PDB file of all heavy atoms in Angstrom:
ATOM      1  N   PRO A  62      26.798 -67.715 -13.612  1.00  0.00           N
ATOM      2  CA  PRO A  62      27.027 -68.523 -12.406  1.00  0.00           C
ATOM      3  C   PRO A  62      28.217 -69.477 -12.512  1.00  0.00           C
ATOM      4  O   PRO A  62      28.896 -69.727 -11.514  1.00  0.00           O
ATOM      5  CB  PRO A  62      25.713 -69.299 -12.242  1.00  0.00           C
ATOM      6  CG  PRO A  62      24.692 -68.453 -12.928  1.00  0.00           C
ATOM      7  CD  PRO A  62      25.415 -67.810 -14.092  1.00  0.00           C
ATOM      8  N   ALA A  63      28.502 -69.974 -13.704  1.00  0.00           N
ATOM      9  CA  ALA A  63      29.610 -70.925 -13.873  1.00  0.00           C
ATOM     10  C   ALA A  63      30.975 -70.267 -13.678  1.00  0.00           C
ATOM     11  O   ALA A  63      31.945 -70.949 -13.336  1.00  0.00           O
ATOM     12  CB  ALA A  63      29.544 -71.573 -15.256  1.00  0.00           C
ATOM     13  N   THR A  64      31.056 -68.969 -13.890  1.00  0.00           N
ATOM     14  CA  THR A  64      32.339 -68.265 -13.774  1.00  0.00           C
ATOM     15  C   THR A  64      32.312 -67.193 -12.681  1.00  0.00           C
ATOM     16  O   THR A  64      33.239 -66.397 -12.577  1.00  0.00           O
ATOM     17  CB  THR A  64      32.714 -67.603 -15.114  1.00  0.00           C
ATOM     18  OG1 THR A  64      31.654 -66.722 -15.524  1.00  0.00           O
ATOM     19  CG2 THR A  64      32.964 -68.643 -16.195  1.00  0.00           C
ATOM     20  N   ARG A  65      31.256 -67.183 -11.883  1.00  0.00           N
ATOM     21  CA  ARG A  65      31.064 -66.109 -10.905  1.00  0.00           C
ATOM     22  C   ARG A  65      32.182 -66.030  -9.873  1.00  0.00           C
ATOM     23  O   ARG A  65      32.629 -64.945  -9.515  1.00  0.00           O
ATOM     24  CB  ARG A  65      29.711 -66.268 -10.215  1.00  0.00           C
ATOM     25  CG  ARG A  65      29.409 -65.097  -9.291  1.00  0.00           C
ATOM     26  CD  ARG A  65      27.944 -65.003  -8.975  1.00  0.00           C
ATOM     27  NE  ARG A  65      27.217 -64.746 -10.202  1.00  0.00           N
ATOM     28  CZ  ARG A  65      25.996 -65.233 -10.454  1.00  0.00           C
ATOM     29  NH1 ARG A  65      25.382 -65.970  -9.558  1.00  0.00           N
ATOM     30  NH2 ARG A  65      25.405 -64.958 -11.592  1.00  0.00           N
ATOM     31  N   ARG A  66      32.644 -67.164  -9.357  1.00  0.00           N
ATOM     32  CA  ARG A  66      33.733 -67.121  -8.348  1.00  0.00           C
ATOM     33  C   ARG A  66      34.978 -66.450  -8.929  1.00  0.00           C
ATOM     34  O   ARG A  66      35.541 -65.547  -8.324  1.00  0.00           O
ATOM     35  CB  ARG A  66      34.068 -68.523  -7.853  1.00  0.00           C
ATOM     36  CG  ARG A  66      33.034 -69.118  -6.935  1.00  0.00           C
ATOM     37  CD  ARG A  66      33.519 -70.464  -6.395  1.00  0.00           C
ATOM     38  NE  ARG A  66      32.440 -71.202  -5.788  1.00  0.00           N
ATOM     39  CZ  ARG A  66      32.026 -71.056  -4.529  1.00  0.00           C
ATOM     40  NH1 ARG A  66      32.620 -70.178  -3.756  1.00  0.00           N
ATOM     41  NH2 ARG A  66      31.043 -71.770  -4.050  1.00  0.00           N
ATOM     42  N   ALA A  67      35.391 -66.916 -10.091  1.00  0.00           N
ATOM     43  CA  ALA A  67      36.567 -66.315 -10.742  1.00  0.00           C
ATOM     44  C   ALA A  67      36.279 -64.865 -11.112  1.00  0.00           C
ATOM     45  O   ALA A  67      37.150 -64.000 -10.978  1.00  0.00           O
ATOM     46  CB  ALA A  67      36.956 -67.118 -11.976  1.00  0.00           C
ATOM     47  N   GLY A  68      35.075 -64.579 -11.568  1.00  0.00           N
ATOM     48  CA  GLY A  68      34.703 -63.217 -11.920  1.00  0.00           C
ATOM     49  C   GLY A  68      34.746 -62.274 -10.736  1.00  0.00           C
ATOM     50  O   GLY A  68      35.203 -61.136 -10.853  1.00  0.00           O
ATOM     51  N   GLY A  69      34.293 -62.746  -9.578  1.00  0.00           N
ATOM     52  CA  GLY A  69      34.352 -61.927  -8.368  1.00  0.00           C
ATOM     53  C   GLY A  69      35.786 -61.619  -7.962  1.00  0.00           C
ATOM     54  O   GLY A  69      36.119 -60.484  -7.612  1.00  0.00           O
ATOM     55  N   ARG A  70      36.640 -62.630  -8.058  1.00  0.00           N
ATOM     56  CA  ARG A  70      38.063 -62.400  -7.747  1.00  0.00           C
ATOM     57  C   ARG A  70      38.690 -61.449  -8.768  1.00  0.00           C
ATOM     58  O   ARG A  70      39.472 -60.564  -8.405  1.00  0.00           O
ATOM     59  CB  ARG A  70      38.814 -63.732  -7.695  1.00  0.00           C
ATOM     60  CG  ARG A  70      38.461 -64.558  -6.473  1.00  0.00           C
ATOM     61  CD  ARG A  70      39.378 -65.755  -6.299  1.00  0.00           C
ATOM     62  NE  ARG A  70      39.257 -66.726  -7.372  1.00  0.00           N
ATOM     63  CZ  ARG A  70      38.417 -67.762  -7.383  1.00  0.00           C
ATOM     64  NH1 ARG A  70      37.614 -67.970  -6.351  1.00  0.00           N
ATOM     65  NH2 ARG A  70      38.384 -68.595  -8.398  1.00  0.00           N
ATOM     66  N   ALA A  71      38.329 -61.612 -10.030  1.00  0.00           N
ATOM     67  CA  ALA A  71      38.845 -60.713 -11.069  1.00  0.00           C
ATOM     68  C   ALA A  71      38.337 -59.284 -10.845  1.00  0.00           C
ATOM     69  O   ALA A  71      39.079 -58.324 -11.051  1.00  0.00           O
ATOM     70  CB  ALA A  71      38.441 -61.218 -12.451  1.00  0.00           C
ATOM     71  N   ALA A  72      37.098 -59.154 -10.404  1.00  0.00           N
ATOM     72  CA  ALA A  72      36.556 -57.814 -10.116  1.00  0.00           C
ATOM     73  C   ALA A  72      37.328 -57.162  -8.974  1.00  0.00           C
ATOM     74  O   ALA A  72      37.667 -55.974  -9.045  1.00  0.00           O
ATOM     75  CB  ALA A  72      35.070 -57.904  -9.777  1.00  0.00           C
ATOM     76  N   ALA A  73      37.618 -57.937  -7.931  1.00  0.00           N
ATOM     77  CA  ALA A  73      38.401 -57.387  -6.814  1.00  0.00           C
ATOM     78  C   ALA A  73      39.771 -56.933  -7.306  1.00  0.00           C
ATOM     79  O   ALA A  73      40.236 -55.836  -6.959  1.00  0.00           O
ATOM     80  CB  ALA A  73      38.539 -58.428  -5.702  1.00  0.00           C
TER      81      ALA A  73
END
Side-chain angles (χ1 to χ4, degrees):
T64 56
R65 186 161 297 145
R66 287 185 194 275
R70 288 190 295 270

